[in-house]
Amino acid sequence: MKKIEAVIKPFKIDDVKDALSEKGIDGMTITEVKGHGRQKGHTELYRGAEYVVDFVPKVKVEVIVDDSRLEEALAAICDAARTGKVGDGKIFVSSVEQVIRIRTGERDGDAI
């Protein structure tokens, strides 16, 4: 099993959710986060004073999938989140050793 963590632009979350749902991947966790990479941040004007916003608002989507579904999930996220502009985000993939559904005690693939 793999854990996909995708950090994307907030306005793309519905597109990503729909793209994953079309592939039959419904379970996900979504968190509002802030950060920066090459995008760096931006300057804003507030009451006549200019200040730097170092961290840009993003959304982190976490999804657990079987190894066999990894590539289709990655493709769905990439296609749905891409705008072609700086700051589209990143995807991180890591291995998951075990999953347990608390309510039923199901494990691993049955618990996803």
Side-chain angles (χ1 to χ4, degrees):
M1 292 175 293
K2 300 293 184 196
K3 178 180 183 180
I4 300 169
E5 294 178 79
V7 180
I8 62 171
K9 292 182 175 185
F11 68 88
K12 297 301 274 180
I13 189 60
D14 287 332
D15 295 340
V16 169
K17 183 178 74 78
D18 293 343
L20 288 170
S21 291
E22 287 176 13
K23 301 289 184 189
I25 301 169
D26 293 317
M28 66 187 69
T29 301
I30 298 170
T31 311
E32 292 181 12
V33 296
K34 292 182 180 185
H36 75 81
R38 290 184 184 156
Q39 188 178 10
K40 298 286 191 247
H42 59 281
T43 59
E44 289 188 4
L45 198 60
Y46 179 72
R47 293 189 178 182
E50 188 174 282
Y51 65 99
V52 176
V53 178
D54 290 332
F55 296 104
V56 180
K58 300 285 184 176
V59 174
K60 181 165 75 168
V61 180
E62 296 174 277
V63 181
I64 307 295
V65 296
D66 284 322
D67 291 348
S68 62
R69 313 248 3 237
L70 177 63
E71 289 305 319
E72 70 177 319
L74 293 174
I77 294 168
C78 283
D79 292 344
R82 183 178 295 122
T83 67
K85 297 183 178 154
V86 173
D88 275 352
K90 295 230 178 4
I91 298 176
F92 306 94
V93 179
S94 55
S95 295
V96 174
E97 291 184 28
Q98 191 173 48
V99 176
I100 301 169
R101 185 185 311 263
I102 294 172
R103 179 177 53 88
T104 63
E106 294 171 298
R107 294 180 178 260
D108 300 328
D110 293 333
I112 294 180

